[in-house]
Amino acid sequence: MSVALAYGEFCEKMGRIKIEDHIFHHAKRATIDWFASTIPGGLETPAKLTFQALKEEIGSGASTILPAGQKTTPRNAALINGTASHTLEFDDIFRAGLYHPGSPVISAVMALADANDVSGEHFLRAVIAGYEVSNRIASVMVPAHYDFWHTTATVGFFGATAASSYILGLNAEQTAHALATSASMAAGLQQAFQSDAMTKPIHAGRAAEGGVLAASLAREGITGVLDIFEADRGFGRAMSDSVEWDRALNGLGSYFTIEQITQKNHAACGHLHAIIDAIIQLKMDEEFEIEIIEEITIGSYQKVLDICNKPEPVSTNEAKFSAQFCAASAFVKGRSLRTQDFLKNNLKDPVVKNLLTKVVLDVDQKCQKAFPNARSAKVKVRLRNGVELESFAPTRKGDPDHPMSDTELSEKYMDLVQIVLNEENTRLLLEELWIFERITSMRGFIDKHFDESRLLI
């Protein structure tokens, strides 16, 4: 049986598989985290300009654009909401796959669940299916795939396609054809990380849109090459190295990778979170004035240097991918870094600017050996009086082995969303999200919570 057909059979059976309460709970956590990123992200420039580019198609359709509630087609809603969800760098992570599943998967599910007015449980089952298929593919494609490709842009197509196929009621063969078709669409280059361009968040939106499209095409009878994953000229050979497809299928349906999701605690590239955590811990453990810091040495894994060595960031996006800026800001703030910490006026903070010039980046072999199964960092600080301080973060706050509690996740959500919807509306939405499986009408849920009158901005 081909890989595509194996995943197709899994998605077709998803409605009949017994899902334990704790798996639904993880799916709700993922959904809450998606709303936390998407609602404020919808007011950022990439989503607003994508909306503007599609303005002739806005106003008709059955899917909702967040946060203001305008209607459009499912494909457009998936594209715009998917772009919004990946803009603030606060969306979730599947660590083993170097992948952000929530942005492509939940954006596609939301668009089709709204248009087809499914129940909350149906929504959550689609999310679980999309995460499972794409997380497994991501885990066998990396790390070689990640040298050139943005996994969220590429593998995100498969998560969005699997979830969309389930929402649309496709059978196993149709779902397999949808996945096969999306394999020829999937793209997104790592070079998008290296500048202030808006391409990176659009990667996630495009994957969400592509998943909706591939499933819709398969429903109408469009066929794909069913051995597209494992064939000699297929996805694995073309975009990775020695992919073990059997490993991507082992235990399919008997355990769920959505239990292994990271919820981000900082509004920055996930490769920098362990550095920030180590500095926060150092500030808690030791008393010293940042003015007497002579040098900050950061040891982590190679990808930190490849992607996040930006000693002179000049924009919000560059700052979120700058190990130097995030380290300096963590020393100044002594807490989790939120969206407001990356506003342009903070880039000019003289204390931060002075500190980031003292940061030295290096590869720590212990951290490199642990990657990608762990994201770790070692921070050493030398003070003017000769004292040397050290802090090591073996993992990140928010990772499966150091998770955010439900309370902490709710606090993150409130912090991000109440700026847009006000505290009362934000809390009412959160209360329903925690009991999402009880919702009988996704269309009613969306229409209830999102319209222009609820916006503060």
Side-chain angles (χ1 to χ4, degrees), residues 72-84:
T72 188
T73 64
R75 285 178 58 192
N76 286 347
L79 173 61
I80 297 169
N81 290 338
T83 298

Side-chain angles (χ1 to χ4, degrees), residues 14-267:
M14 192 63 199
R16 304 188 300 275
I17 294 175
K18 179 175 173 53
I19 304 294
E20 302 291 341
D21 288 345
H22 71 282
I23 301 299
F24 276 127
H25 186 76
H26 281 286
K28 287 187 287 188
R29 282 173 59 93
T31 302
I32 289 167
D33 209 35
W34 181 84
F35 275 101
S37 295
T38 306
I39 291 172
L43 300 177
E44 296 294 317
T45 302
K48 289 169 69 176
L49 292 183
T50 305
F51 177 98
Q52 187 65 21
L54 299 170
K55 61 185 177 181
E56 294 180 358
E57 301 173 39
I58 308 298
S60 61
S63 297
T64 304
I65 303 167
L66 303 185
Q70 299 99 327
K71 296 294 184 179
T72 188
T73 64
R75 285 178 58 192
N76 286 347
L79 173 61
I80 297 169
N81 290 338
T83 298
S85 67
H86 197 51
T87 298
L88 296 181
E89 291 295 334
F90 242 142
D91 47 329
D92 65 10
I93 300 168
F94 179 57
R95 181 174 62 184
L98 294 162
Y99 169 51
H100 298 274
S103 290
V105 172
I106 300 181
S107 300
V109 173
M110 184 63 67
L112 287 174
D114 187 9
N116 291 275
D117 198 22
V118 304
S119 69
E121 180 180 336
H122 199 81
F123 177 102
L124 293 173
R125 284 181 179 271
V127 169
I128 294 166
Y131 273 57
E132 195 62 26
V133 170
S134 54
N135 287 349
R136 285 169 168 272
I137 294 172
S139 68
V140 296
M141 290 292 293
V142 300
H145 182 72
Y146 198 65
D147 287 342
F148 296 99
W149 303 98
H150 181 197
T151 319
T152 304
T154 54
V155 177
F157 268 81
F158 305 125
T161 299
S164 297
S165 297
Y166 177 74
I167 291 284
L168 294 178
L170 271 57
N171 63 31
E173 187 173 357
Q174 289 172 315
T175 302
H177 283 298
L179 289 166
T181 296
S182 66
S184 287
M185 301 180 187
L189 295 169
Q190 277 269 352
Q191 190 62 28
F193 295 12
Q194 303 303 321
S195 76
D196 195 36
M198 299 179 198
T199 307
K200 183 176 182 285
I202 293 173
H203 281 175
R206 184 69 186 90
E209 178 201 17
V212 171
L213 174 61
S216 300
L217 292 173
R219 182 177 59 177
E220 299 305 317
I222 295 290
T223 60
V225 181
L226 292 183
D227 63 350
I228 194 72
F229 289 104
E230 66 271 28
D232 287 344
R233 289 176 174 80
F235 186 76
R237 287 286 300 277
M239 299 171 76
S240 187
D241 180 35
S242 302
V243 177
E244 299 175 10
W245 288 110
D246 287 346
R247 184 161 61 87
L249 299 174
N250 287 342
L252 183 63
S254 62
Y255 68 90
F256 295 94
T257 57
I258 201 165
E259 291 187 86
Q260 299 298 313
I261 296 302
T262 296
Q263 271 86 35
K264 295 176 75 171
N265 194 40
H266 309 291

